[in-house]
Amino acid sequence: MTKVEAFRALHRRQAPGDPLVLPGPWDAASARVFAEAGFPALATPSAGVAAALGYEDGQTPAEEMFAAVARIVRAVDVPVSADIEGGYGLAPTELVERLLETGAVGCNLEDSADGVLKDPREHADWLAEVRHAAANRLFVNARIDTFVRGAAEPKQAAERAIERAALYVAAGADCVYPIGAPTDILPLLRSGIQGPINVHGTITGDGPSPTELGELGATRITFGPGLQRRAAQALRDIAAGLAK
């Protein structure tokens, strides 16, 4: 079984209450920590990688992002999916080839740009081109930004997310990611979306656990830059102690 096949299988075997938990490494060292802890796969966060490289979120040059992903992939034996934001303006074929060169088995692709939602049908057509270029070599996670860029009212955002999800799944997306969806909206999303759903998890202990998110409809849990920011805060605390 190839790594991408193993990654797909991880999304199929999950039962309610047992979602796939994917920590987000921001460099090779953090990737090794997560792999050594026993996680079966990892998913890089673009914001976390940007911070590690000295950039603001969304400002990382494509060359540096792909190079960072390649270093993370080389550091571990488990499958790694890469958050590549909106694709850096690359044509689908080039985007796919650049990703495959890193060794990544999947990608996260956003449906907004410059703070504005993209036309869903045009984005679905673009996703279909990505899927055609990738065939079965990449697991495509289509991020849906209606909760963070669209309607302020959660139910309306959910309805729009479900509409977009249908288009993206039909275009070949393996999973959809309605980022920012409130916990109480997850059952509605689950009832209206076919296939795996990615949900953002918390690491502070004041939010629902992965088990609870799974019971509400999540197939997989990712954390965005949360782990990198938690590590950075721990380092600040250590540095403050040393500076006394």
Side-chain angles (χ1 to χ4, degrees):
M1 181 182 291
T2 65
K3 281 188 176 180
V4 68
E5 289 171 340
F7 191 62
R8 281 204 176 88
L10 289 171
H11 291 77
R12 292 194 295 266
R13 71 172 178 80
Q14 304 305 318
D18 183 27
L20 174 62
V21 177
L22 297 174
W26 55 93
D27 59 13
S30 59
R32 288 196 180 105
V33 168
F34 297 137
E36 289 168 1
F39 290 98
L42 308 174
T44 70
S46 61
V49 173
L53 295 174
Y55 293 101
E56 295 297 321
D57 186 20
Q59 300 302 309
T60 309
E63 291 288 342
E64 293 196 47
M65 182 62 76
F66 287 121
V69 170
R71 288 191 293 271
I72 289 169
V73 171
R74 286 197 303 269
V76 295
D77 293 327
V78 300
V80 177
S81 183
D83 181 350
I84 51 170
E85 304 174 296
Y88 306 111
L90 299 173
T93 298
E94 182 180 359
L95 179 64
V96 167
E97 292 307 315
R98 295 288 296 277
L99 261 174
L100 291 173
E101 286 172 1
T102 70
V105 300
C107 60
N108 190 73
L109 294 165
E110 304 170 4
D111 71 347
S112 67
D114 300 321
V116 179
L117 286 167
K118 297 177 181 178
D119 178 273
R121 295 189 180 278
E122 291 180 2
H123 188 62
D125 289 342
W126 183 77
L127 287 174
E129 293 183 47
V130 172
R131 167 53 66 211
H132 178 74
N136 291 321
R137 297 178 294 171
L138 289 172
F139 185 99
V140 177
N141 185 35
R143 200 178 96 172
I144 300 173
D145 288 359
T146 57
F147 290 96
V148 294
R149 306 294 187 202
E153 201 280 310
K155 188 173 181 182
Q156 185 181 50
E159 291 169 352
R160 293 180 180 176
I162 290 170
E163 293 170 358
R164 286 173 177 257
L167 291 171
Y168 301 165
V169 170
D174 297 286
C175 182
V176 296
Y177 179 16
I179 189 171
T183 302
D184 59 359
I185 291 291
L186 294 182
L188 174 60
L189 293 173
R190 178 69 283 170
S191 69
I193 294 176
Q194 297 296 315
I197 299 177
N198 189 148
V199 172
H200 189 279
T202 62
I203 59 172
T204 57
D206 57 359
S209 68
T211 295
E212 291 168 331
L213 290 174
E215 291 171 345
L216 290 170
T219 308
R220 78 183 212 179
I221 312 294
T222 54
F223 304 92
L227 292 160
Q228 181 272 329
R229 290 173 180 170
R230 182 75 171 270
Q233 184 57 53
L235 192 57
R236 288 188 194 98
D237 294 342
I238 294 170
L242 294 174
K244 290 182 179 179

